[in-house]
């Protein structure tokens, strides 16, 4: 850790928005699974992870302003989340791979932030424990599905290939996040590669950013499904301006 | 604990297999004595086949209701109007999945399996509570479900904590604690709406108008038309009649509606000094039976969605089984950090 930015500064607000939006958006996607999961235990697990992420989002967005105003009254171009977390759920394999990629990153990031003394240290100390469970859950399912049946293997490989292009963005520097991204990236590649290998899946050799400039989500450049997701999420709140809920 | 005489001391009798005819009278006598003494019947105890079948039917229907009951509420997770409400609703739907798991486990102690029960749900051979065949049309419905539907469920279920079958009674203790919490949250949600903008107040009133009568139907048909009531009460599975619990619920709701600042949609609802209870209007039993038969607003939608989740998840369950078979030495688990 080098110099830590003080709470309330523009840098902290920027970082809180980026990390808070990641958690908010992925939580929302996981919430869409309610009632659709392949087994009852996964209804519980997916809702549980969604709740943890929503809890993180509420703390982070509150560091940047009013949590509800930020969640419900910003336009798409003002959101700072990674493109990875806004990807539609797809099938269960797609959801698990998205979670694997993201939770492994979150675990490393919050581990670093928790060990420092910056404004995110208190949140990170709690979040890293939650994220350890999320990562474990995703890794176990990756192993089961990758090394399960031919069909589950094929679905997992498709998901890995489809989502790989969104993983590079996680290791772009974020203003106000005082962590060395290249160190995170090395650790992430090692851990993720190892899990995919054990799951008999192939690590893609394609690019880890899409045709977009790296960091697109962080700059408010999102993918097409995101606007529709926000429309659903924000509709009721926006229909009653100024109301309390 | 049931009496020692009622236990199968060998402890090896397969579930669902009744003892030899020569023992039945003795077993029946011990079972009746245990029930009369308010002792708990446990999975390894002898029990009448009809008692077992009744419990399987009731616990399965209860479990199915928790699972199907996730749908009307999950309908609003992605549209919840504040992050606090969204978190509460997610936690609630998660609790319901957990309740389903407890209840399927309780049913399994009677010699059936979750797979078998789900199959009966999906094929329509077992039912779930009719209340979940009504649609959640506005955000206020989430509050009305918490207040009225969970309130009715609690009124029904608290006595089940003293049910004669141990595993069911113990599951109900845990479930009722969480349900009470949900019910208070629903009430609080409606209160916020009722005291909010005129539009929010109207939304709350409209939801209560739509959910009141279906909630009263949750207690089941009137006592003189209830097939299983008398026997269930004799076995101490049920402790109170449908009409008795329905009356208790109405008496609880009237003052709560008043503090909410909302009205209940029943012109005949009034306090009866002589009875010490509220009189209330006639329930539309034709609607009740019709929804039960499958003709409610959402019967088709609810079951279709449940079936689809199960069918679309088949490859996941097959993969998990295949993986377990390959790695039977249990080396799957990624280590906990």
């Amino acid at each position: 850790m080098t110099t830590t930015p003080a709470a309330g500064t523009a840098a902290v607000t920027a970082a809180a928005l980026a990390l808070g939006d990641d958690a908010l958006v992925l939580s929302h996607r996981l919430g869409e699974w309610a009632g659709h999961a392949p087994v009852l235990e996964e209804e519980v697990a997916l809702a549980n992870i969604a709740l943890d992420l929503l809890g993180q989002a509420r703390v982070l967005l509150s560091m940047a302003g009013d949590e509800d105003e930020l969640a419900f009254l910003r336009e798409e171009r003002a959101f700072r989340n990674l493109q990875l977390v806004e990807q539609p759920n797809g099938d269960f394999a797609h959801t698990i791979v998205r979670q694997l990629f993201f939770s492994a990153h979150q675990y490393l990031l919050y581990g670093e932030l928790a060990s420092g003394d910056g404004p995110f240290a208190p949140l990170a100390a709690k979040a890293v424990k939650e994220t350890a469970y999320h990562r474990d859950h995703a890794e176990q399912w990756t192993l089961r599905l990758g090394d399960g049946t031919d069909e589950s293997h094929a679905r997992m490989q498709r998901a890995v290939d489809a989502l790989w292009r969104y993983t590079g963005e996680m290791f772009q520097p974020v203003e106000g996040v005082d962590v060395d991204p290249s160190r995170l990236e090395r650790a992430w590649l090692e851990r993720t590669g190892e899990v995919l290998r054990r799951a008999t899946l192939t690590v893609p050799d394609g690019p880890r950013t899409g045709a977009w400039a790296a960091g697109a989500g962080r700059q408010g450049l999102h993918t097409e499904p995101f606007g529709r997701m926000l429309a659903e999420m924000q509709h009721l709140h926006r229909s009653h301006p100024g109301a309390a809920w | 604990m049931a009496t020692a005489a009622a236990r199968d001391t060998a402890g090896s009798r397969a579930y669902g297999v009744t003892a030899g005819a020569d023992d039945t009278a003795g077993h029946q006598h011990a079972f009746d004595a245990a029930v009369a003494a308010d002792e708990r019947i446990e999975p390894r105890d002898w029990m009448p086949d009809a008692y077992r079948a009744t419990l399987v039917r009731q616990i399965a229907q209860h479990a199915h209701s928790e699972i199907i009951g996730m749908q009307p509420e999950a309908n609003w997770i992605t549209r919840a109007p504040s992050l606090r409400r969204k978190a509460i609703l997610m936690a609630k739907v998660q609790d319901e999945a957990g309740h389903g798991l407890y209840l399927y486990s309780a049913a399994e102690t009677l010699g059936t399996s979750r797979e078998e029960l789900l199959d009966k749900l999906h094929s329509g051979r077992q039912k779930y509570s009719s209340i979940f065949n009504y649609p959640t049309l506005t955000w206020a419905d989430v509050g009305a479900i918490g207040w009225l539907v969970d309130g009715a469920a609690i009124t029904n279920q608290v006595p089940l904590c003293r049910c004669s079958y141990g595993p069911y009674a113990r599951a109900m203790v845990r479930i009722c604690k969480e349900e009470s919490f949900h019910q208070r949250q629903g009430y609080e949600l409606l209160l916020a709406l009722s005291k909010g903008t005129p539009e929010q107040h109207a939304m709350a009133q409209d939801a209560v108008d739509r959910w009141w009568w279906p909630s009263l139907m949750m207690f089941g048909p009137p006592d003189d038309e209830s097939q299983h009531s008398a026997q269930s009460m004799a076995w101490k599975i049920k402790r109170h009649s449908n009409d008795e619990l329905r009356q208790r619920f109405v008496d609880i709701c009237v003052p709560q509606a008043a503090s909410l600042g909302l009205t209940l949609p029943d012109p005949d609802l009034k306090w009866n000094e002589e009875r010490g209870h509220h009189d209330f209007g006639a329930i539309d039993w034709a609607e009740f039976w019709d929804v039960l038969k499958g003709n409610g607003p959402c019967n088709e939608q609810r079951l279709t969605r449940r079936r689809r989740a199960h069918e679309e998840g088949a490859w996941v369950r097959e993969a998990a089984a295949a993986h377990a078979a390959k790695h039977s030495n249990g080396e799957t688990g990624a280590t906990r950090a």
Side-chain angles (χ1 to χ4, degrees):
Chain A
M1 300 294 289
T2 52
T3 53
T4 49
T9 61
V12 170
T13 300
L17 275 184
L19 303 183
D21 285 350
D22 284 350
L24 176 73
V25 170
L26 186 53
S27 167
H28 184 96
R29 284 296 188 208
L30 291 169
E32 293 172 351
W33 268 101
H36 293 281
V39 285
L40 275 181
E41 286 80 357
E42 284 306 298
E43 294 285 1
V44 178
L46 296 172
N48 207 327
I49 296 167
L51 260 178
D52 285 347
L53 289 166
L54 185 53
Q56 294 167 16
R58 294 183 66 193
V59 172
L60 287 158
L61 293 181
S62 297
M63 289 171 79
D66 179 277
E67 62 174 50
D68 284 342
E69 279 180 28
L70 289 168
F72 295 101
L73 299 175
R74 271 183 300 159
E75 302 280 345
E76 183 178 345
R77 293 282 280 105
F79 273 81
R80 292 288 172 262
N81 55 283
L82 298 161
Q83 289 187 351
L84 175 70
V85 297
E86 75 200 36
Q87 294 311 302
N89 291 332
D91 64 2
F92 189 67
H94 202 263
T95 288
I96 289 297
V97 171
R98 185 184 62 195
Q99 201 65 46
L100 175 79
F101 289 169
F102 182 71
S103 294
H105 150 74
Q106 251 201 334
Y107 178 78
L108 293 164
L109 175 67
Y110 283 135
E112 292 263 351
L113 290 172
S115 68
D117 59 354
F120 298 108
L123 163 89
K126 188 168 179 290
V128 76
K129 293 181 190 136
E130 295 169 345
T131 306
Y133 281 99
H134 306 172
R135 185 182 68 164
D136 185 48
H137 171 263
E139 287 183 346
Q140 294 209 40
W141 273 111
T142 299
L143 294 170
R144 267 186 218 118
L145 299 175
D147 187 17
T149 61
D150 289 348
E151 181 182 4
S152 69
H153 177 90
R155 284 175 182 259
M156 282 299 279
Q157 190 63 58
R158 262 203 304 277
V160 168
D161 294 345
L163 291 167
W164 191 247
R165 74 201 62 203
Y166 298 106
T167 58
E169 198 188 348
M170 296 191 289
F171 307 103
Q172 298 297 315
V174 175
E175 190 196 357
V177 179
D178 198 14
V179 169
D180 172 14
S182 59
R183 196 151 47 107
L184 288 193
E185 183 162 26
R186 278 194 301 278
W188 184 91
L189 277 169
E190 194 182 329
R191 176 92 186 192
T192 308
E194 168 71 2
V195 174
L196 293 178
R197 203 181 44 71
R198 281 179 58 208
T200 73
L201 296 162
T202 308
V203 179
D205 52 10
R208 297 193 31 244
T209 52
W212 287 93
R218 293 282 185 241
Q219 294 151 24
L221 295 167
H222 294 280
T223 55
E224 283 184 352
F226 185 57
R228 191 165 279 104
M229 192 204 99
L230 279 190
E232 184 173 341
M233 186 173 103
Q234 297 181 337
H235 164 260
L236 180 59
H237 186 98
R238 285 178 180 267
S239 300
H240 297 264
W245 297 96
Chain B
M1 296 296 286
T3 55
R7 293 205 175 283
D8 175 30
T9 43
S12 59
R13 184 172 52 75
Y15 288 125
V17 179
T18 47
D22 48 321
D23 301 333
T24 306
H27 281 314
Q28 180 73 52
H29 180 76
F31 172 86
D32 291 343
V35 170
D38 267 351
E39 288 173 0
R40 288 275 164 82
I41 306 300
E42 296 295 342
R44 302 177 74 94
D45 296 337
W46 183 92
M47 62 190 81
D49 289 347
Y51 176 84
R52 186 184 299 273
T54 293
L55 277 167
V56 168
R57 194 192 60 247
Q58 183 175 335
I59 299 173
Q61 176 165 322
H62 194 159
H64 298 332
S65 298
E66 294 282 358
I67 301 310
I68 298 283
M70 293 167 69
Q71 289 184 36
E73 298 188 279
N75 184 35
W76 283 94
I77 286 178
T78 53
R79 293 177 287 171
S82 77
L83 297 186
R84 174 172 169 262
R85 294 290 176 197
K86 190 173 188 166
I88 290 171
L89 185 55
M90 272 183 179
K92 182 181 180 186
V93 173
Q94 183 192 354
D95 283 348
E96 282 158 2
H99 295 172
L101 285 170
Y102 300 158
L103 289 160
Y104 285 120
S105 297
E108 285 181 328
T109 64
L110 291 158
T112 180
S113 71
R114 197 206 300 185
E115 289 67 30
E116 197 180 340
L117 297 174
L118 282 174
D119 187 53
K120 284 179 175 158
L121 168 66
H122 297 154
S123 60
R125 282 174 293 155
Q126 282 181 338
K127 299 241 176 291
Y128 55 88
S129 176
S130 277
I131 193 77
F132 302 119
N133 292 316
Y134 290 87
T136 46
L137 301 177
T138 72
W139 170 251
D141 290 36
V142 172
I145 287 179
W147 177 44
L148 295 173
V149 174
D150 294 355
I154 292 162
T155 307
N156 251 328
Q157 290 167 8
V158 165
L160 288 171
C161 298
R162 295 182 295 125
C163 161
S164 58
Y165 188 60
Y168 191 27
R170 288 187 291 272
M172 289 323 305
V173 171
R174 297 173 66 175
I175 290 174
C176 283
K177 280 184 190 147
E178 292 180 357
E179 290 286 0
S180 306
F181 196 57
H182 298 164
Q183 202 248 351
R184 285 200 296 275
Q185 287 168 330
Y187 180 88
E188 193 256 341
L189 189 162
L190 280 182
L191 190 64
L193 293 178
S194 182
K195 303 218 176 310
T197 65
E199 292 79 12
Q200 286 177 306
H201 181 90
M203 193 194 283
Q205 185 61 61
D206 167 65
V208 168
D209 289 349
R210 283 181 290 107
W211 286 92
W212 173 247
W213 292 108
S215 300
L216 293 190
M217 294 175 197
M218 282 176 71
F219 295 93
D223 292 348
D224 50 18
E225 287 178 60
S226 182
Q227 288 177 301
H228 309 289
S229 274
Q231 181 61 78
S232 283
M233 284 168 79
W235 277 327
K236 293 189 183 168
I237 295 173
K238 280 177 78 162
R239 299 273 176 167
H240 310 280
S241 80
N242 295 356
D243 287 332
E244 200 182 331
L245 291 171
R246 191 170 4 248
Q247 180 69 63
R248 187 182 292 183
F249 178 66
V250 172
D251 290 340
I252 291 169
C253 286
V254 170
Q256 290 182 344
S259 16
L260 278 171
L262 298 170
T263 58
L264 296 170
D266 180 358
D268 299 327
L269 187 63
K270 61 173 187 300
W271 176 250
N272 181 324
E273 191 63 51
E274 211 170 306
R275 289 202 309 124
H277 289 293
H278 291 86
D279 292 335
F280 55 96
I283 291 174
D284 180 356
W285 291 111
E287 177 182 323
F288 171 80
W289 293 114
D290 204 30
V291 176
L292 208 64
K293 277 204 294 266
N295 304 322
C298 300
N299 298 60
E300 181 56 31
Q301 177 189 328
R302 300 285 185 242
L303 258 190
T304 298
R305 172 150 168 198
R306 177 88 266 296
R307 280 195 211 106
R308 184 176 304 151
H310 193 73
E311 284 159 14
E312 287 176 355
W315 69 269
V316 175
R317 297 189 300 275
E318 283 158 18
H323 181 87
K326 283 188 215 178
H327 302 270
S328 48
N329 58 358
E331 42 128 316
T332 295
T335 47
R336 284 233 180 267

